[in-house]
PDB file of all heavy atoms in Angstrom:
ATOM      1  N   ALA K 466      20.336   3.065  -8.039  1.00 96.00           N
ATOM      2  CA  ALA K 466      20.497   2.793  -9.374  1.00 96.00           C
ATOM      3  C   ALA K 466      20.241   1.353  -9.784  1.00 96.00           C
ATOM      4  O   ALA K 466      19.632   1.072 -10.860  1.00 96.00           O
ATOM      5  CB  ALA K 466      21.990   3.127  -9.723  1.00 96.00           C
ATOM      6  N   GLU K 467      20.544   0.395  -8.920  1.00 97.00           N
ATOM      7  CA  GLU K 467      20.116  -1.013  -9.123  1.00 97.00           C
ATOM      8  C   GLU K 467      18.664  -1.197  -9.205  1.00 97.00           C
ATOM      9  O   GLU K 467      18.185  -1.981 -10.000  1.00 97.00           O
ATOM     10  CB  GLU K 467      20.746  -1.887  -8.123  1.00 97.00           C
ATOM     11  CG  GLU K 467      22.321  -2.142  -8.273  1.00 97.00           C
ATOM     12  CD  GLU K 467      22.872  -2.899  -7.088  1.00 97.00           C
ATOM     13  OE1 GLU K 467      22.381  -4.067  -6.945  1.00 97.00           O
ATOM     14  OE2 GLU K 467      23.633  -2.429  -6.349  1.00 97.00           O
ATOM     15  N   CYS K 468      18.026  -0.567  -8.340  1.00 97.00           N
ATOM     16  CA  CYS K 468      16.475  -0.572  -8.351  1.00 97.00           C
ATOM     17  C   CYS K 468      15.931  -0.009  -9.519  1.00 97.00           C
ATOM     18  O   CYS K 468      14.941  -0.570 -10.110  1.00 97.00           O
ATOM     19  CB  CYS K 468      15.914   0.134  -7.131  1.00 97.00           C
ATOM     20  SG  CYS K 468      16.161  -0.749  -5.550  1.00 97.00           S
ATOM     21  N   ARG K 469      16.596   1.098 -10.073  1.00 97.00           N
ATOM     22  CA  ARG K 469      16.125   1.687 -11.289  1.00 97.00           C
ATOM     23  C   ARG K 469      16.244   0.670 -12.473  1.00 97.00           C
ATOM     24  O   ARG K 469      15.357   0.620 -13.380  1.00 97.00           O
ATOM     25  CB  ARG K 469      16.825   2.962 -11.569  1.00 97.00           C
ATOM     26  CG  ARG K 469      16.198   3.804 -12.594  1.00 97.00           C
ATOM     27  CD  ARG K 469      16.892   5.165 -12.847  1.00 97.00           C
ATOM     28  NE  ARG K 469      16.828   6.018 -11.665  1.00 97.00           N
ATOM     29  CZ  ARG K 469      15.761   6.683 -11.290  1.00 97.00           C
ATOM     30  NH1 ARG K 469      14.653   6.512 -11.841  1.00 97.00           N
ATOM     31  NH2 ARG K 469      15.839   7.463 -10.259  1.00 97.00           N
ATOM     32  N   LYS K 470      17.379  -0.041 -12.431  1.00 97.00           N
ATOM     33  CA  LYS K 470      17.608  -1.045 -13.520  1.00 97.00           C
ATOM     34  C   LYS K 470      16.507  -2.087 -13.420  1.00 97.00           C
ATOM     35  O   LYS K 470      15.960  -2.558 -14.567  1.00 97.00           O
ATOM     36  CB  LYS K 470      18.924  -1.704 -13.308  1.00 97.00           C
ATOM     37  CG  LYS K 470      20.110  -1.009 -13.993  1.00 97.00           C
ATOM     38  CD  LYS K 470      21.361  -1.879 -13.894  1.00 97.00           C
ATOM     39  CE  LYS K 470      22.594  -1.004 -14.014  1.00 97.00           C
ATOM     40  NZ  LYS K 470      23.779  -1.598 -13.585  1.00 97.00           N
ATOM     41  N   ILE K 471      16.190  -2.614 -12.255  1.00 97.00           N
ATOM     42  CA  ILE K 471      15.123  -3.530 -12.117  1.00 97.00           C
ATOM     43  C   ILE K 471      13.781  -3.032 -12.648  1.00 97.00           C
ATOM     44  O   ILE K 471      13.056  -3.704 -13.396  1.00 97.00           O
ATOM     45  CB  ILE K 471      14.975  -4.010 -10.689  1.00 97.00           C
ATOM     46  CG1 ILE K 471      16.231  -4.764 -10.246  1.00 97.00           C
ATOM     47  CG2 ILE K 471      13.706  -4.797 -10.452  1.00 97.00           C
ATOM     48  CD1 ILE K 471      16.266  -5.011  -8.690  1.00 97.00           C
ATOM     49  N   ALA K 472      13.545  -1.800 -12.299  1.00 97.00           N
ATOM     50  CA  ALA K 472      12.227  -1.191 -12.659  1.00 97.00           C
ATOM     51  C   ALA K 472      12.220  -1.030 -14.153  1.00 97.00           C
ATOM     52  O   ALA K 472      11.209  -1.270 -14.773  1.00 97.00           O
ATOM     53  CB  ALA K 472      12.068   0.144 -11.921  1.00 97.00           C
ATOM     54  N   ASP K 473      13.293  -0.503 -14.738  1.00 97.00           N
ATOM     55  CA  ASP K 473      13.415  -0.221 -16.156  1.00 97.00           C
ATOM     56  C   ASP K 473      13.155  -1.571 -16.989  1.00 97.00           C
ATOM     57  O   ASP K 473      12.520  -1.678 -17.916  1.00 97.00           O
ATOM     58  CB  ASP K 473      14.696   0.377 -16.544  1.00 97.00           C
ATOM     59  CG  ASP K 473      14.831   1.794 -16.184  1.00 97.00           C
ATOM     60  OD1 ASP K 473      13.781   2.367 -15.771  1.00 97.00           O
ATOM     61  OD2 ASP K 473      15.905   2.415 -16.211  1.00 97.00           O
ATOM     62  N   ALA K 474      13.863  -2.678 -16.463  1.00 96.00           N
ATOM     63  CA  ALA K 474      13.783  -3.966 -17.133  1.00 96.00           C
ATOM     64  C   ALA K 474      12.290  -4.489 -17.143  1.00 96.00           C
ATOM     65  O   ALA K 474      11.862  -5.147 -18.014  1.00 96.00           O
ATOM     66  CB  ALA K 474      14.675  -4.951 -16.453  1.00 96.00           C
ATOM     67  N   ALA K 475      11.626  -4.109 -16.025  1.00 96.00           N
ATOM     68  CA  ALA K 475      10.177  -4.590 -15.929  1.00 96.00           C
ATOM     69  C   ALA K 475       9.240  -3.613 -16.560  1.00 96.00           C
ATOM     70  O   ALA K 475       8.050  -3.852 -16.673  1.00 96.00           O
ATOM     71  CB  ALA K 475       9.895  -4.690 -14.324  1.00 96.00           C
ATOM     72  N   GLY K 476       9.752  -2.496 -17.076  1.00 96.00           N
ATOM     73  CA  GLY K 476       8.889  -1.490 -17.677  1.00 96.00           C
ATOM     74  C   GLY K 476       7.993  -0.824 -16.628  1.00 96.00           C
ATOM     75  O   GLY K 476       6.812  -0.414 -16.976  1.00 96.00           O
ATOM     76  N   ILE K 477       8.548  -0.619 -15.420  1.00 97.00           N
ATOM     77  CA  ILE K 477       7.698  -0.004 -14.360  1.00 97.00           C
ATOM     78  C   ILE K 477       8.371   1.282 -13.859  1.00 97.00           C
ATOM     79  O   ILE K 477       9.553   1.243 -13.605  1.00 97.00           O
ATOM     80  CB  ILE K 477       7.550  -1.066 -13.262  1.00 97.00           C
ATOM     81  CG1 ILE K 477       6.676  -2.267 -13.595  1.00 97.00           C
ATOM     82  CG2 ILE K 477       6.961  -0.413 -11.984  1.00 97.00           C
ATOM     83  CD1 ILE K 477       6.594  -3.357 -12.623  1.00 97.00           C
TER      84      ILE K 477
END
Side-chain angles (χ1 to χ4, degrees):
E467 286 177 59
C468 286
R469 195 176 296 288
K470 274 189 203 161
I471 291 171
D473 287 349
I477 293 174

